[in-house]
Amino acid sequence: MEKIGWIGTGVMGRSMCMHILNKRYPVSLYNRTKGQADDLCRQGAVWCDNPGEVAARNDIIFTMVGEPSDVEQVIMGKEGVLECIRPGSVIVDMTTSEPSLSRRIEKEAKGKSVLSLDAPVSGGDVGAREGTLAIMVGGDKDAFQRVLPIFKLMGKNIARMGGPGMGQHTKMSNQILIASTMIGVVESLLYAHRAGLDQESVIDVIGKGAAASWAINQLGPRIVKGNFAPGFAIRHFIKDMGIALLEARRMKLSLPGLALANQFYTAAMAEGLEAEGTQALYKVLDRMNRP
Amino acid sequence: MEKIGWIGTGVMGRSMCMHILNKRYPVSLYNRTKGQADDLCRQGAVWCDNPGEVAARNDIIFTMVGEPSDVEQVIMGKEGVLECIRPGSVIVDMTTSEPSLSRRIEKEAKGKSVLSLDAPVSGGDVGAREGTLAIMVGGDKDAFQRVLPIFKLMGKNIARMGGPGMGQHTKMSNQILIASTMIGVVESLLYAHRAGLDQESVIDVIGKGAAASWAINQLGPRIVKGNFAPGFAIRHFIKDMGIALLEARRMKLSLPGLALANQFYTAAMAEGLEAEGTQALYKVLDRMNRP
């Protein structure tokens, strides 16, 4: 049985790692805030004092941290994964991060006879808890096959999209699609409200045909009820859009819809909405259009 | 049995009217281009020389024409519906048109003891042919109940959304939602392509979760195959967005995403793409990002 290392036990990482523990894999782990790993340690996971120690003890090392800079630090930094990892191991970064960083990690890892995968997810905290995440994987085919049984504990819709960075690029495509769709959702519902329509009835009618989307049908009703709790928090979406815009610029690719969404969500941050769900964009548009 | 008048036998109107004829309602009709009514006349519809004549002979008069200016002309113009209509009749405008025009028609009609409904549809030529349109209705409750059996011949998802103009406003909410969703679709797919991903595989992964929409799952694969044939033609979408922007301005409502989509589709018109489907927006973004 592969020995599993896990770095990053926030809301997502904790649930994902728990599925592995539940199948009795030996797991050792590290997290910046120790308290967030308590559940997992009670279930038998072994605490390590730094990412390097996690790497030294295990065969497959997962990272699920915050920003690309965090990924860089835990993998390539002092007392990091690459400093201590053994040849033949696999690094799997499941953080939504920069495709170019994934490629850099892959190269450095190869120099130590280590394979690496980028494997960002979508499906949020619910998907993590229920083991129904979509997992978009980039990197070596054999490494993918080796890690696949473990991916299957965390997700349902698992696809290898190509070489290193391609998982991240797929996640960016996902976020770019969501960005403009969200603008459509909030503009449509605000227009409906201002026109005097019952928003719920409008969703019932327009949510079934050519305008249908997960966002209008799942987040629309929350907007109508004034429920702005995260599903997916604005501060995380802002991070992802930042990566997408950066990568697009590197490709010399102009994406005006993404840029507009990014500005809107920046306004949401300015209004202190960073911990609310992406549907709280409605508040920004609403306030923008008041006397 | 109600006597049915039908004005406007283009691609949509012809299919819609045919469903009524097929149920053996007596139908008389008018169209600007007579040849487009030939099928219907062969099936027993009676030709009239102008909209007023259609109105004079019938109980429920449907209009399904092009622009709001066409609606105004056939209903309020010389030899128009209102000039000749009998008290107790109902006017049903199924054109996607201006909510404010629907309210004006309702007022004028009331002065002649005539009721009116605005009842724009979505579902395109396929929905019209198969009788599966969504029909969004504004206007008097009793008039709605009286026309409902005939709506049911043309559509499946039929809802009265409120008083006069509210059907049009609902259609505008639908189009506003589609506008930004389409930007998301084409930006996402172009990003994927430029990143070196297989677009079809990307749609498979991102089309199932929080980024899912009718547009990515139905129009996305057409973009990948280079199929830009209309479903819904750009020139019609441009018309609808123009109405939405006009109404939004009347409400003092700023909708930046809609405005951006409108500019993009205007660029599509500039490139001569007006007869292609809305998914041809992909070509605009693609060309914009080439050396």
Side-chain angles (χ1 to χ4, degrees), chain A residues 157 166 169-170 172-174 176-177 180 184-185 187-188 191 195 197 205-206 208 211-214 247 253-258 288-289, chain B residues 157 166 169-170 172-174 176-177 180 184-185 187-188 191 195 197 205-206 208 211-214 247 253-258 288-289:
Chain A
N157 189 5
M166 289 308 198
H169 275 311
T170 305
M172 290 302 118
S173 300
N174 189 75
I176 292 166
L177 181 50
S180 288
V185 167
E187 289 193 354
S188 171
Y191 176 97
L197 286 160
V205 176
I206 72 179
K208 287 172 190 158
S213 61
W214 184 93
E247 289 294 324
L253 184 60
S254 165
L255 299 175
L258 176 62
M288 191 177 104
N289 280 291
Chain B
N157 189 5
M166 289 309 198
H169 274 312
T170 305
M172 290 303 117
S173 300
N174 190 76
I176 292 166
L177 180 51
S180 287
V185 166
E187 289 193 353
S188 171
Y191 176 97
L197 286 160
V205 176
I206 73 178
K208 286 172 191 158
S213 61
W214 184 93
E247 289 293 324
L253 185 61
S254 165
L255 299 175
L258 176 62
M288 191 178 104
N289 280 290

Short mmCIF file of all heavy atoms in Angstrom, two decimals, chain A residues 157 166 169-170 172-174 176-177 180 184-185 187-188 191 195 197 205-206 208 211-214 247 253-258 288-289, chain B residues 157 166 169-170 172-174 176-177 180 184-185 187-188 191 195 197 205-206 208 211-214 247 253-258 288-289:
data_model
loop_
_atom_site.label_atom_id
_atom_site.label_comp_id
_atom_site.label_asym_id
_atom_site.label_seq_id
_atom_site.Cartn_x
_atom_site.Cartn_y
_atom_site.Cartn_z
N ASN A 157 -15.36 12.71 -11.50
CA ASN A 157 -15.10 13.11 -12.87
C ASN A 157 -13.60 13.41 -12.96
O ASN A 157 -13.18 14.52 -12.70
CB ASN A 157 -15.98 14.34 -13.16
CG ASN A 157 -16.00 14.75 -14.61
OD1 ASN A 157 -15.43 14.10 -15.46
ND2 ASN A 157 -16.64 15.88 -14.88
N MET A 166 -1.39 21.11 -17.66
CA MET A 166 -2.65 21.02 -18.39
C MET A 166 -3.87 20.85 -17.47
O MET A 166 -4.98 21.23 -17.83
CB MET A 166 -2.59 19.88 -19.41
CG MET A 166 -1.68 20.21 -20.59
SD MET A 166 -2.07 21.82 -21.36
CE MET A 166 -1.24 21.61 -22.92
N HIS A 169 -4.49 24.44 -16.57
CA HIS A 169 -5.11 25.16 -17.68
C HIS A 169 -6.60 24.81 -17.80
O HIS A 169 -7.43 25.66 -18.12
CB HIS A 169 -4.39 24.84 -19.00
CG HIS A 169 -3.18 25.69 -19.26
ND1 HIS A 169 -3.20 27.06 -19.14
CD2 HIS A 169 -1.92 25.37 -19.65
CE1 HIS A 169 -2.00 27.55 -19.45
NE2 HIS A 169 -1.20 26.54 -19.75
N THR A 170 -6.93 23.54 -17.57
CA THR A 170 -8.33 23.13 -17.64
C THR A 170 -9.15 23.82 -16.55
O THR A 170 -10.26 24.31 -16.79
CB THR A 170 -8.46 21.60 -17.51
OG1 THR A 170 -7.63 20.99 -18.50
CG2 THR A 170 -9.90 21.14 -17.70
N MET A 172 -8.46 26.65 -15.26
CA MET A 172 -8.60 28.05 -15.68
C MET A 172 -9.74 28.20 -16.70
O MET A 172 -10.52 29.15 -16.63
CB MET A 172 -7.28 28.57 -16.28
CG MET A 172 -6.18 28.75 -15.25
SD MET A 172 -6.67 29.87 -13.92
CE MET A 172 -6.61 28.78 -12.48
N SER A 173 -9.84 27.25 -17.64
CA SER A 173 -10.96 27.29 -18.60
C SER A 173 -12.29 27.26 -17.85
O SER A 173 -13.24 27.97 -18.21
CB SER A 173 -10.89 26.09 -19.55
OG SER A 173 -9.68 26.11 -20.27
N ASN A 174 -12.34 26.43 -16.82
CA ASN A 174 -13.54 26.32 -15.99
C ASN A 174 -13.87 27.66 -15.32
O ASN A 174 -15.01 28.15 -15.36
CB ASN A 174 -13.29 25.25 -14.93
CG ASN A 174 -14.52 24.87 -14.13
OD1 ASN A 174 -15.40 24.16 -14.62
ND2 ASN A 174 -14.60 25.34 -12.89
N ILE A 176 -12.81 30.69 -16.16
CA ILE A 176 -13.11 31.72 -17.16
C ILE A 176 -14.58 31.61 -17.57
O ILE A 176 -15.28 32.62 -17.72
CB ILE A 176 -12.17 31.58 -18.38
CG1 ILE A 176 -10.74 31.94 -17.99
CG2 ILE A 176 -12.65 32.46 -19.55
CD1 ILE A 176 -9.68 31.51 -19.02
N LEU A 177 -15.04 30.38 -17.74
CA LEU A 177 -16.45 30.16 -18.11
C LEU A 177 -17.39 30.63 -17.00
O LEU A 177 -18.39 31.32 -17.26
CB LEU A 177 -16.66 28.67 -18.40
CG LEU A 177 -18.05 28.20 -18.81
CD1 LEU A 177 -18.61 29.04 -19.94
CD2 LEU A 177 -18.02 26.73 -19.20
N SER A 180 -17.84 34.93 -16.59
CA SER A 180 -18.82 35.68 -17.37
C SER A 180 -20.25 35.16 -17.14
O SER A 180 -21.20 35.93 -17.17
CB SER A 180 -18.47 35.67 -18.86
OG SER A 180 -17.35 36.50 -19.08
N GLY A 184 -23.72 37.31 -16.22
CA GLY A 184 -25.04 37.12 -16.82
C GLY A 184 -26.11 36.86 -15.78
O GLY A 184 -27.20 37.43 -15.84
N VAL A 185 -25.80 36.03 -14.80
CA VAL A 185 -26.77 35.68 -13.76
C VAL A 185 -27.19 36.92 -12.97
O VAL A 185 -28.39 37.18 -12.80
CB VAL A 185 -26.19 34.61 -12.80
CG1 VAL A 185 -27.03 34.47 -11.53
CG2 VAL A 185 -26.09 33.26 -13.52
N GLU A 187 -26.78 40.18 -13.68
CA GLU A 187 -27.42 41.22 -14.49
C GLU A 187 -28.85 40.84 -14.84
O GLU A 187 -29.76 41.67 -14.80
CB GLU A 187 -26.60 41.50 -15.76
CG GLU A 187 -25.28 42.21 -15.48
CD GLU A 187 -24.62 42.76 -16.74
OE1 GLU A 187 -25.10 42.50 -17.86
OE2 GLU A 187 -23.60 43.46 -16.59
N SER A 188 -29.04 39.59 -15.17
CA SER A 188 -30.38 39.11 -15.54
C SER A 188 -31.35 39.24 -14.37
O SER A 188 -32.48 39.71 -14.52
CB SER A 188 -30.26 37.65 -15.99
OG SER A 188 -31.52 37.09 -16.15
N TYR A 191 -32.02 42.99 -13.50
CA TYR A 191 -32.95 43.53 -14.50
C TYR A 191 -34.38 43.07 -14.19
O TYR A 191 -35.31 43.87 -14.16
CB TYR A 191 -32.53 43.09 -15.91
CG TYR A 191 -33.49 43.54 -17.00
CD1 TYR A 191 -33.24 44.69 -17.74
CD2 TYR A 191 -34.65 42.81 -17.28
CE1 TYR A 191 -34.13 45.11 -18.73
CE2 TYR A 191 -35.54 43.21 -18.26
CZ TYR A 191 -35.27 44.36 -18.99
OH TYR A 191 -36.16 44.77 -19.95
N ALA A 195 -37.48 45.47 -13.19
CA ALA A 195 -38.63 45.52 -14.10
C ALA A 195 -39.92 45.13 -13.37
O ALA A 195 -41.00 45.23 -13.95
CB ALA A 195 -38.40 44.58 -15.28
N LEU A 197 -40.52 42.09 -11.98
CA LEU A 197 -40.84 40.67 -12.10
C LEU A 197 -40.53 39.93 -10.80
O LEU A 197 -39.70 40.37 -10.00
CB LEU A 197 -39.99 40.04 -13.22
CG LEU A 197 -40.42 40.38 -14.64
CD1 LEU A 197 -39.27 40.13 -15.61
CD2 LEU A 197 -41.65 39.57 -15.04
N VAL A 205 -38.63 29.98 -15.52
CA VAL A 205 -38.84 30.00 -16.97
C VAL A 205 -37.51 29.98 -17.74
O VAL A 205 -37.33 29.17 -18.64
CB VAL A 205 -39.66 31.24 -17.41
CG1 VAL A 205 -39.78 31.29 -18.92
CG2 VAL A 205 -41.03 31.22 -16.76
N ILE A 206 -36.57 30.84 -17.36
CA ILE A 206 -35.36 30.98 -18.18
C ILE A 206 -34.30 29.93 -17.82
O ILE A 206 -33.36 29.72 -18.58
CB ILE A 206 -34.75 32.41 -18.11
CG1 ILE A 206 -34.08 32.70 -16.76
CG2 ILE A 206 -35.82 33.45 -18.42
CD1 ILE A 206 -33.45 34.09 -16.69
N LYS A 208 -34.50 26.81 -17.92
CA LYS A 208 -34.71 25.51 -18.56
C LYS A 208 -34.24 25.44 -20.02
O LYS A 208 -34.00 24.36 -20.53
CB LYS A 208 -36.19 25.14 -18.51
CG LYS A 208 -36.63 24.74 -17.11
CD LYS A 208 -38.14 24.56 -17.03
CE LYS A 208 -38.60 24.40 -15.59
NZ LYS A 208 -40.01 24.75 -15.39
N ALA A 211 -30.80 29.57 -21.98
CA ALA A 211 -30.11 30.39 -20.99
C ALA A 211 -29.73 29.59 -19.75
O ALA A 211 -29.15 30.13 -18.80
CB ALA A 211 -30.99 31.58 -20.60
N ALA A 212 -30.06 28.31 -19.75
CA ALA A 212 -29.86 27.49 -18.55
C ALA A 212 -28.39 27.35 -18.17
O ALA A 212 -27.53 27.24 -19.04
CB ALA A 212 -30.44 26.09 -18.77
N SER A 213 -28.13 27.38 -16.88
CA SER A 213 -26.79 27.09 -16.37
C SER A 213 -26.91 26.60 -14.94
O SER A 213 -27.92 26.83 -14.27
CB SER A 213 -25.90 28.34 -16.42
OG SER A 213 -26.42 29.38 -15.63
N TRP A 214 -25.86 25.93 -14.48
CA TRP A 214 -25.78 25.55 -13.07
C TRP A 214 -25.93 26.81 -12.22
O TRP A 214 -26.64 26.81 -11.22
CB TRP A 214 -24.44 24.86 -12.81
CG TRP A 214 -24.29 24.35 -11.41
CD1 TRP A 214 -24.58 23.09 -10.98
CD2 TRP A 214 -23.80 25.06 -10.26
NE1 TRP A 214 -24.31 22.98 -9.64
CE2 TRP A 214 -23.83 24.16 -9.17
CE3 TRP A 214 -23.35 26.37 -10.05
CZ2 TRP A 214 -23.42 24.53 -7.89
CZ3 TRP A 214 -22.95 26.74 -8.77
CH2 TRP A 214 -22.98 25.83 -7.71
N GLU A 247 -1.94 34.06 -16.92
CA GLU A 247 -1.61 33.06 -17.94
C GLU A 247 -2.04 33.54 -19.32
O GLU A 247 -1.35 33.32 -20.31
CB GLU A 247 -2.25 31.71 -17.61
CG GLU A 247 -1.63 31.01 -16.43
CD GLU A 247 -0.17 30.57 -16.67
OE1 GLU A 247 0.16 30.17 -17.80
OE2 GLU A 247 0.62 30.63 -15.71
N LEU A 253 -3.21 36.73 -24.89
CA LEU A 253 -4.61 36.44 -25.15
C LEU A 253 -5.47 37.45 -24.38
O LEU A 253 -5.39 37.53 -23.15
CB LEU A 253 -4.92 35.00 -24.69
CG LEU A 253 -6.31 34.47 -24.95
CD1 LEU A 253 -6.62 34.45 -26.44
CD2 LEU A 253 -6.45 33.06 -24.38
N SER A 254 -6.27 38.22 -25.12
CA SER A 254 -7.14 39.23 -24.51
C SER A 254 -8.50 38.61 -24.21
O SER A 254 -9.16 38.07 -25.11
CB SER A 254 -7.29 40.41 -25.49
OG SER A 254 -8.37 41.22 -25.12
N LEU A 255 -8.92 38.66 -22.94
CA LEU A 255 -10.20 38.07 -22.54
C LEU A 255 -11.03 39.15 -21.82
O LEU A 255 -11.05 39.21 -20.57
CB LEU A 255 -9.96 36.86 -21.62
CG LEU A 255 -9.17 35.70 -22.24
CD1 LEU A 255 -8.89 34.63 -21.19
CD2 LEU A 255 -9.90 35.10 -23.44
N PRO A 256 -11.72 39.99 -22.58
CA PRO A 256 -12.40 41.14 -21.96
C PRO A 256 -13.49 40.75 -20.95
O PRO A 256 -13.69 41.47 -19.98
CB PRO A 256 -13.02 41.86 -23.18
CG PRO A 256 -12.20 41.44 -24.34
CD PRO A 256 -11.80 40.02 -24.04
N GLY A 257 -14.17 39.64 -21.18
CA GLY A 257 -15.21 39.23 -20.23
C GLY A 257 -14.60 38.85 -18.89
O GLY A 257 -15.11 39.24 -17.83
N LEU A 258 -13.51 38.13 -18.94
CA LEU A 258 -12.81 37.75 -17.71
C LEU A 258 -12.31 39.00 -16.98
O LEU A 258 -12.43 39.10 -15.75
CB LEU A 258 -11.64 36.83 -18.04
CG LEU A 258 -10.75 36.42 -16.87
CD1 LEU A 258 -11.55 35.64 -15.82
CD2 LEU A 258 -9.55 35.61 -17.36
N MET A 288 -24.40 49.47 -7.16
CA MET A 288 -23.91 50.32 -8.26
C MET A 288 -25.07 51.04 -8.95
O MET A 288 -24.89 52.08 -9.57
CB MET A 288 -23.20 49.40 -9.25
CG MET A 288 -22.41 50.06 -10.33
SD MET A 288 -21.60 48.76 -11.31
CE MET A 288 -22.65 48.77 -12.76
N ASN A 289 -26.25 50.43 -8.86
CA ASN A 289 -27.41 50.96 -9.58
C ASN A 289 -28.47 51.53 -8.65
O ASN A 289 -29.66 51.45 -8.94
CB ASN A 289 -28.01 49.83 -10.44
CG ASN A 289 -27.23 49.64 -11.73
OD1 ASN A 289 -27.26 50.48 -12.61
ND2 ASN A 289 -26.51 48.53 -11.82
N ASN B 157 -43.43 25.21 -21.90
CA ASN B 157 -43.13 25.94 -20.67
C ASN B 157 -43.78 27.32 -20.81
O ASN B 157 -43.20 28.24 -21.34
CB ASN B 157 -41.59 26.03 -20.57
CG ASN B 157 -41.09 26.56 -19.26
OD1 ASN B 157 -41.87 26.81 -18.34
ND2 ASN B 157 -39.78 26.76 -19.18
N MET B 166 -44.64 42.41 -19.17
CA MET B 166 -43.85 41.51 -18.31
C MET B 166 -43.36 40.26 -19.05
O MET B 166 -42.33 39.69 -18.67
CB MET B 166 -44.67 41.12 -17.08
CG MET B 166 -44.84 42.27 -16.10
SD MET B 166 -43.25 43.05 -15.67
CE MET B 166 -43.72 43.92 -14.18
N HIS B 169 -40.27 41.65 -20.66
CA HIS B 169 -39.19 41.82 -19.67
C HIS B 169 -38.54 40.48 -19.32
O HIS B 169 -37.33 40.39 -19.12
CB HIS B 169 -39.74 42.48 -18.39
CG HIS B 169 -39.77 43.98 -18.45
ND1 HIS B 169 -38.70 44.73 -18.87
CD2 HIS B 169 -40.75 44.87 -18.12
CE1 HIS B 169 -39.00 46.02 -18.79
NE2 HIS B 169 -40.25 46.14 -18.35
N THR B 170 -39.36 39.42 -19.24
CA THR B 170 -38.82 38.09 -18.93
C THR B 170 -37.91 37.62 -20.06
O THR B 170 -36.83 37.09 -19.83
CB THR B 170 -39.97 37.08 -18.71
OG1 THR B 170 -40.84 37.60 -17.71
CG2 THR B 170 -39.44 35.73 -18.28
N MET B 172 -36.25 39.53 -22.01
CA MET B 172 -35.02 40.32 -21.89
C MET B 172 -34.10 39.74 -20.82
O MET B 172 -32.88 39.65 -21.02
CB MET B 172 -35.35 41.79 -21.56
CG MET B 172 -36.00 42.54 -22.71
SD MET B 172 -34.97 42.50 -24.22
CE MET B 172 -36.04 41.62 -25.35
N SER B 173 -34.67 39.30 -19.69
CA SER B 173 -33.86 38.65 -18.65
C SER B 173 -33.16 37.43 -19.22
O SER B 173 -31.98 37.17 -18.92
CB SER B 173 -34.73 38.22 -17.46
OG SER B 173 -35.37 39.34 -16.90
N ASN B 174 -33.88 36.68 -20.03
CA ASN B 174 -33.33 35.50 -20.70
C ASN B 174 -32.15 35.88 -21.60
O ASN B 174 -31.07 35.26 -21.55
CB ASN B 174 -34.44 34.85 -21.52
CG ASN B 174 -34.08 33.49 -22.07
OD1 ASN B 174 -34.05 32.49 -21.36
ND2 ASN B 174 -33.79 33.44 -23.37
N ILE B 176 -30.33 38.64 -21.57
CA ILE B 176 -29.22 39.22 -20.79
C ILE B 176 -28.36 38.09 -20.21
O ILE B 176 -27.13 38.16 -20.21
CB ILE B 176 -29.77 40.13 -19.67
CG1 ILE B 176 -30.41 41.39 -20.27
CG2 ILE B 176 -28.66 40.52 -18.69
CD1 ILE B 176 -31.27 42.20 -19.31
N LEU B 177 -29.03 37.05 -19.74
CA LEU B 177 -28.31 35.90 -19.19
C LEU B 177 -27.49 35.20 -20.26
O LEU B 177 -26.31 34.85 -20.05
CB LEU B 177 -29.32 34.94 -18.55
CG LEU B 177 -28.79 33.66 -17.90
CD1 LEU B 177 -27.66 33.95 -16.92
CD2 LEU B 177 -29.93 32.93 -17.18
N SER B 180 -23.89 37.25 -21.53
CA SER B 180 -22.60 37.08 -20.84
C SER B 180 -22.18 35.61 -20.79
O SER B 180 -20.98 35.31 -20.83
CB SER B 180 -22.67 37.68 -19.43
OG SER B 180 -22.67 39.09 -19.51
N GLY B 184 -18.47 33.93 -21.78
CA GLY B 184 -17.76 32.91 -21.00
C GLY B 184 -17.41 31.69 -21.85
O GLY B 184 -16.29 31.18 -21.79
N VAL B 185 -18.37 31.25 -22.64
CA VAL B 185 -18.15 30.06 -23.48
C VAL B 185 -17.00 30.28 -24.46
O VAL B 185 -16.08 29.46 -24.56
CB VAL B 185 -19.45 29.68 -24.24
CG1 VAL B 185 -19.17 28.68 -25.35
CG2 VAL B 185 -20.49 29.13 -23.26
N GLU B 187 -14.61 32.64 -24.53
CA GLU B 187 -13.31 32.92 -23.90
C GLU B 187 -12.70 31.65 -23.32
O GLU B 187 -11.50 31.41 -23.44
CB GLU B 187 -13.47 34.00 -22.81
CG GLU B 187 -13.75 35.38 -23.38
CD GLU B 187 -13.59 36.51 -22.36
OE1 GLU B 187 -13.39 36.22 -21.17
OE2 GLU B 187 -13.66 37.68 -22.77
N SER B 188 -13.54 30.85 -22.69
CA SER B 188 -13.06 29.61 -22.10
C SER B 188 -12.49 28.66 -23.16
O SER B 188 -11.42 28.08 -22.98
CB SER B 188 -14.23 28.95 -21.35
OG SER B 188 -13.89 27.66 -20.94
N TYR B 191 -9.23 30.12 -24.72
CA TYR B 191 -8.13 29.92 -23.76
C TYR B 191 -7.65 28.47 -23.81
O TYR B 191 -6.45 28.19 -23.90
CB TYR B 191 -8.58 30.30 -22.35
CG TYR B 191 -7.54 30.04 -21.28
CD1 TYR B 191 -6.70 31.07 -20.82
CD2 TYR B 191 -7.37 28.77 -20.73
CE1 TYR B 191 -5.74 30.83 -19.86
CE2 TYR B 191 -6.39 28.52 -19.77
CZ TYR B 191 -5.59 29.56 -19.32
OH TYR B 191 -4.63 29.32 -18.38
N ALA B 195 -3.99 27.20 -24.94
CA ALA B 195 -3.16 26.52 -23.94
C ALA B 195 -2.73 25.13 -24.41
O ALA B 195 -1.95 24.46 -23.75
CB ALA B 195 -3.93 26.41 -22.62
N LEU B 197 -4.90 22.59 -25.04
CA LEU B 197 -5.81 21.54 -24.59
C LEU B 197 -6.70 21.06 -25.73
O LEU B 197 -6.96 21.81 -26.69
CB LEU B 197 -6.70 22.08 -23.46
CG LEU B 197 -6.02 22.26 -22.11
CD1 LEU B 197 -6.81 23.24 -21.24
CD2 LEU B 197 -5.88 20.91 -21.41
N VAL B 205 -15.19 17.84 -19.23
CA VAL B 205 -14.90 17.99 -17.80
C VAL B 205 -15.65 19.19 -17.22
O VAL B 205 -16.31 19.07 -16.19
CB VAL B 205 -13.38 18.17 -17.57
CG1 VAL B 205 -13.10 18.43 -16.10
CG2 VAL B 205 -12.63 16.94 -18.03
N ILE B 206 -15.58 20.35 -17.86
CA ILE B 206 -16.13 21.56 -17.23
C ILE B 206 -17.63 21.70 -17.47
O ILE B 206 -18.29 22.48 -16.78
CB ILE B 206 -15.38 22.85 -17.68
CG1 ILE B 206 -15.70 23.25 -19.12
CG2 ILE B 206 -13.87 22.69 -17.50
CD1 ILE B 206 -15.01 24.53 -19.56
N LYS B 208 -19.96 19.77 -16.66
CA LYS B 208 -20.79 18.99 -15.74
C LYS B 208 -20.96 19.63 -14.37
O LYS B 208 -21.90 19.30 -13.66
CB LYS B 208 -20.16 17.59 -15.55
CG LYS B 208 -20.38 16.69 -16.75
CD LYS B 208 -19.60 15.39 -16.62
CE LYS B 208 -19.60 14.63 -17.95
NZ LYS B 208 -18.49 13.68 -18.04
N ALA B 211 -19.61 25.14 -13.74
CA ALA B 211 -19.49 25.95 -14.94
C ALA B 211 -20.48 25.51 -16.02
O ALA B 211 -20.52 26.08 -17.11
CB ALA B 211 -18.06 25.85 -15.49
N ALA B 212 -21.29 24.51 -15.71
CA ALA B 212 -22.18 23.92 -16.72
C ALA B 212 -23.23 24.90 -17.22
O ALA B 212 -23.75 25.71 -16.45
CB ALA B 212 -22.89 22.70 -16.13
N SER B 213 -23.50 24.85 -18.50
CA SER B 213 -24.59 25.63 -19.08
C SER B 213 -25.06 24.94 -20.35
O SER B 213 -24.33 24.13 -20.94
CB SER B 213 -24.15 27.06 -19.40
OG SER B 213 -23.09 27.07 -20.34
N TRP B 214 -26.27 25.26 -20.77
CA TRP B 214 -26.77 24.80 -22.06
C TRP B 214 -25.79 25.23 -23.14
O TRP B 214 -25.45 24.46 -24.04
CB TRP B 214 -28.16 25.40 -22.31
CG TRP B 214 -28.81 24.91 -23.57
CD1 TRP B 214 -29.67 23.86 -23.69
CD2 TRP B 214 -28.67 25.47 -24.89
NE1 TRP B 214 -30.06 23.71 -24.99
CE2 TRP B 214 -29.48 24.68 -25.75
CE3 TRP B 214 -27.96 26.54 -25.42
CZ2 TRP B 214 -29.58 24.94 -27.12
CZ3 TRP B 214 -28.05 26.79 -26.79
CH2 TRP B 214 -28.86 26.00 -27.62
N GLU B 247 -34.23 49.32 -22.70
CA GLU B 247 -35.10 49.23 -21.52
C GLU B 247 -34.30 49.46 -20.25
O GLU B 247 -34.77 50.10 -19.31
CB GLU B 247 -35.81 47.88 -21.47
CG GLU B 247 -36.87 47.70 -22.53
CD GLU B 247 -38.09 48.62 -22.33
OE1 GLU B 247 -38.48 48.90 -21.18
OE2 GLU B 247 -38.64 49.08 -23.36
N LEU B 253 -30.46 51.59 -15.42
CA LEU B 253 -29.81 50.37 -14.97
C LEU B 253 -28.58 50.12 -15.85
O LEU B 253 -28.70 49.96 -17.06
CB LEU B 253 -30.80 49.20 -15.07
CG LEU B 253 -30.35 47.86 -14.54
CD1 LEU B 253 -30.03 47.93 -13.05
CD2 LEU B 253 -31.46 46.82 -14.78
N SER B 254 -27.41 50.10 -15.21
CA SER B 254 -26.16 49.86 -15.92
C SER B 254 -25.85 48.37 -15.94
O SER B 254 -25.77 47.74 -14.88
CB SER B 254 -25.03 50.63 -15.21
OG SER B 254 -23.77 50.17 -15.64
N LEU B 255 -25.69 47.80 -17.13
CA LEU B 255 -25.41 46.37 -17.27
C LEU B 255 -24.15 46.18 -18.11
O LEU B 255 -24.22 45.95 -19.32
CB LEU B 255 -26.60 45.66 -17.92
CG LEU B 255 -27.94 45.73 -17.14
CD1 LEU B 255 -29.07 45.09 -17.95
CD2 LEU B 255 -27.84 45.08 -15.77
N PRO B 256 -22.98 46.30 -17.50
CA PRO B 256 -21.73 46.28 -18.26
C PRO B 256 -21.49 44.99 -19.05
O PRO B 256 -20.89 45.03 -20.12
CB PRO B 256 -20.65 46.47 -17.19
CG PRO B 256 -21.36 47.13 -16.05
CD PRO B 256 -22.75 46.57 -16.06
N GLY B 257 -21.91 43.87 -18.50
CA GLY B 257 -21.71 42.61 -19.22
C GLY B 257 -22.51 42.57 -20.51
O GLY B 257 -22.02 42.16 -21.57
N LEU B 258 -23.75 43.01 -20.43
CA LEU B 258 -24.61 43.08 -21.62
C LEU B 258 -24.02 44.03 -22.65
O LEU B 258 -24.00 43.74 -23.86
CB LEU B 258 -26.02 43.53 -21.21
CG LEU B 258 -27.01 43.73 -22.35
CD1 LEU B 258 -27.26 42.43 -23.11
CD2 LEU B 258 -28.33 44.30 -21.82
N MET B 288 -9.47 38.46 -33.11
CA MET B 288 -8.98 39.58 -32.30
C MET B 288 -7.65 39.24 -31.64
O MET B 288 -6.87 40.12 -31.30
CB MET B 288 -10.03 39.82 -31.21
CG MET B 288 -9.89 41.07 -30.41
SD MET B 288 -11.30 41.14 -29.24
CE MET B 288 -10.46 40.66 -27.73
N ASN B 289 -7.39 37.94 -31.47
CA ASN B 289 -6.20 37.49 -30.76
C ASN B 289 -5.20 36.79 -31.67
O ASN B 289 -4.51 35.87 -31.26
CB ASN B 289 -6.62 36.55 -29.62
CG ASN B 289 -7.11 37.32 -28.41
OD1 ASN B 289 -6.33 37.96 -27.72
ND2 ASN B 289 -8.41 37.28 -28.17
#
